[in-house]
Structure formats: C-alpha cells, structure tokens
Amino acid sequence: MDQHPTPHPPAPAAPAPAARARWTPERQRLFLTTLLATGNVTQAARAAGMSRASVHRLRRRLAGTPFDRTWDRALALHEAVVA
C-alpha cells in the first residue's frame, strides 16, 4: 500500500485590516465647515472622523493650497463672529 500524505486544508485567510480613514474631499469640507462653526481644530477633526494630528499632517502636505488658505479664513471668520 502506497501511503500519500493527506493534504491539509488551506489555512483560513487572515482578516483584512480595516481600511484606513482617508482625507476625502467630503471629510475636508466637513472639517472646514466645523472649524468655521467652532474655531476648534480638535473638534472639527473629530467631526470629520479624523484625528487632530492627521489634520495637521494634511495641512502641512497641502501647504499653500485652497485647503490651507480656507483653514486660515475659517479661523479668522470664526473669530470675527465671536468677537
């Protein structure tokens, strides 16, 4: 009798890591809208489902772009309304 090793079933696939949240245009708009309303970067980042550190990295990466300029305008407008 010839003995063949019984094949092992394939190992179950590891669960895919959760997709990392990305700064989509929708999240950027939500962040900027909330920033205008609150004047608070942390609160605005949370409203967009992102962290404060993440939004600061995004701003550095997008320095000089409309996102960066709108951030400054949102804070200035919020301050003008509150003052």
Side-chain angles (χ1 to χ4, degrees):
M1 231 182 193
D2 208 12
Q3 291 193 354
H4 297 283
T6 46
H8 296 284
R20 283 181 36 184
R22 303 274 184 206
W23 276 105
T24 63
E26 295 80 23
R27 284 182 194 267
Q28 291 177 34
R29 279 191 292 277
L30 179 55
F31 168 81
L32 292 169
T33 301
T34 306
L35 185 62
L36 174 62
T38 65
N40 185 302
V41 172
T42 302
Q43 191 174 352
R46 285 187 186 143
M50 304 298 281
S51 70
R52 182 178 187 273
S54 174
V55 76
H56 281 290
R57 282 192 304 271
L58 177 68
R59 188 175 192 197
R60 281 192 303 273
R61 193 169 66 243
L62 298 179
T65 66
F67 177 83
D68 182 35
R69 292 189 300 273
T70 303
W71 179 320
D72 288 335
R73 279 190 216 124
L75 289 176
L77 286 170
H78 177 78
E79 183 63 29
V81 169
V82 174

